[in-house]
Amino acid sequence: MTDLTTTQTDLISQLRAVCGHANVLTHDDPGADLSPWEQDWRKRVKGLALAVVRPANTQEVAAVVKACAAANTPIVPQGGNTGLVVGGVPNNSGTQIVLSMTRMNAVRAIDPANLTITVEAGCVLQNLQAAAENSGFLFPLSLGAEGSCTIGGNLGTNAGGTQVVRYGNTRELCLGLEVVTAQGDIWHGLTGLRKDNTGYDLRNLMIGSEGTLGIICAATMKLYPLPAAQLTAWAAVPSMEAAVQLLGLAHQRLGPGLTGFEVMGQFALSLVEKHYPQLRVPLWQETPWCVLLENSDSENESHARGQFESLLEAALEDGCVTDAVVAENLTQARSLWHIRETITLAQVQEGLNIKHDISIPVSRIPAFVAETDALLAREVPGVRLVDFGHLGDGNLHYNVQAPEGADGQAFLRDNEERVNTLVFDQVAKFGGSISAEHGVGEQKVNKLPLYKDPTALAMMRAVKKALDPQNIMNPGRVLAWHNI
Ligand code: FAD
Ligand code: MLT
Ligand code: ZN
């Protein structure tokens, strides 16, 4: 590796004294391979870490942060490293430490009467869901990366996923946090309180801050009763207008039973069919859009089925659905969801692409899609749109794939900036946000000042300066320091 300064060598010794030799990995260790922590999930960026530090508890995190602050060394918190905006990997300077939270993965407590679960930040989302279910409860956050992402990362990004239409995003599921500040102090905020009006909402400030304000070490999250029955339907819809009309009907007919409403464009589904033919995508060839709906019922399966069938009959009559299948059992339902969750992987198989994670008021989505599709077709001929997402929340993954047969690298080099500007200008025109759920990371750091309200941005900068005056917490993410 590169020559380390005395300060860096001393820091590594101190970190090893805190966490144990084996839990501080460096490039100088024999046979060391730090690439799993240095490479982002989309393989867009490969950083170089000074060290990967793996604390076992909150006290160790606090001691690590104090040592890094004294050595003026930046810290990049990392959970499952499934983030999609280059937020959880180090830059290539060799001066930043990755603080990997995955050893802190315990479920600390479940309080059934308070409907809460308290877990450490490195707990993998799927393990948290399982712990809740084993105690007879639902933890509703659900996303394609749930087998590897952590609740700390979910909180760091304020992740969304496929159940937001009913339960909200991660922020809405959180009641309390334990946080290590940029000075290495511990904030003991693990209350399970649903009401607390004692000043500024620091919990909600930390959530979605992408590791730029502090390290989330543990969280108290909300639990819900397990539904008595859950049904999934896959519907062909003739247009985006029809999909929005179906959403309105579903809200009306299912009320709080509507727990999932995803839209998938024909080209997105064709990629699943092409790269994962064993998955057998229904109805996609006959329609421009498919919708996946979920109905969670607190009574029983026949009640759920009755409600669902009457919804789909009404939708067929209105013409907003042209064909539909309702899963007969859990296995079929899981297969339908699996197709939806595979779109991201199919897109990776197809080659490099430009990812967007935007939100627009639901009512304006049809006009946004029609206008922006036409704009891109005109400005970037041959471009292919991989359009899918959480229509129930007004959140589209409006992704742009290189023309068939084009060199992906060259396409990105020549078009990424221009395509982002075209799409984000459209988002602004339609009153939307350039990030609905993935966050800003490094990828949108230069775009944020162009689209965020200037007063909001000034308040964000003041907060960053006040809480992290040394700029050691995930620098260069969300806000660029030279702008602060
Ligand atoms: P990481 O990638 O490790 O980190 C993400 C960010 O959080 C970084 O800025 C990091 O510094 C910060 N961070 C991590 N841990 C902490 C901590 N303890 N304290 C403070 N900051 C921390 N996202 C969605 O919102 N909805 C989806 O539907 C969705 N689907 C996905 C599907 C696939 C196949 C993949 C690969 C990703 C998907 N994502 C989705 C993106 C990603 O899974 C989420 O952003 C997730 O919340 C990241 O969790 P993580 O543990 O992997 O975090
Ligand atoms: C999804 O909804 O599948 C994710 O947010 C991942 C993606 O955008 O590819
Ligand atoms: Zn998503």
Side-chain angles (χ1 to χ4, degrees), residues 319-342:
C320 61
V321 164
T322 51
D323 201 352
V325 287
V326 179
E328 285 300 320
N329 50 45
L330 203 57
T331 313
Q332 277 182 16
R334 286 205 176 118
S335 309
L336 295 176
W337 277 105
H338 188 51
I339 293 167
R340 157 64 184 87
E341 299 295 11
T342 303

Side-chain angles (χ1 to χ4, degrees), residues 218-361:
T220 298
M221 308 299 295
K222 290 182 193 170
L223 294 175
Y224 289 83
L226 280 167
Q230 219 163 23
L231 287 185
T232 301
W234 182 285
V237 297
S239 64
M240 190 55 103
E241 284 83 357
V244 170
Q245 197 187 335
L246 176 61
L247 175 63
L249 259 185
H251 275 306
Q252 217 174 58
R253 300 276 178 136
L254 306 179
L258 179 66
T259 48
F261 196 99
E262 298 286 310
V263 73
M264 299 155 288
Q266 190 177 46
F267 181 61
L269 291 173
S270 79
L271 293 182
V272 176
E273 181 77 18
K274 176 175 169 188
H275 297 290
Y276 298 88
Q278 71 281 15
L279 294 189
R280 294 160 178 258
V281 182
L283 306 180
W284 71 277
Q285 272 158 317
E286 60 192 66
T287 183
W289 300 97
C290 288
V291 166
L292 191 58
L293 302 98
E294 187 182 74
N295 181 18
S296 298
D297 195 283
S298 54
E299 288 188 30
N300 54 45
E301 176 154 350
S302 72
H303 183 256
R305 205 168 278 281
Q307 262 192 332
F308 229 13
E309 280 167 5
S310 109
L311 163 68
L312 290 171
E313 269 163 32
L316 282 159
E317 219 162 85
D318 282 5
C320 61
V321 164
T322 51
D323 201 352
V325 287
V326 179
E328 285 300 320
N329 50 45
L330 203 57
T331 313
Q332 277 182 16
R334 286 205 176 118
S335 309
L336 295 176
W337 277 105
H338 188 51
I339 293 167
R340 157 64 184 87
E341 299 295 11
T342 303
I343 296 174
T344 304
L345 302 174
Q347 224 193 321
V348 172
Q349 294 299 320
E350 185 67 9
L352 291 170
N353 56 75
I354 304 169
K355 242 180 178 347
H356 295 125
D357 161 42
I358 56 175
S359 56
I360 314 271

Side-chain angles (χ1 to χ4, degrees), residues 364-379:
R364 306 190 74 187
I365 282 186
F368 168 85
V369 169
E371 214 181 88
T372 314
D373 282 8
L375 181 70
L376 286 174
R378 201 169 60 235
E379 296 290 326

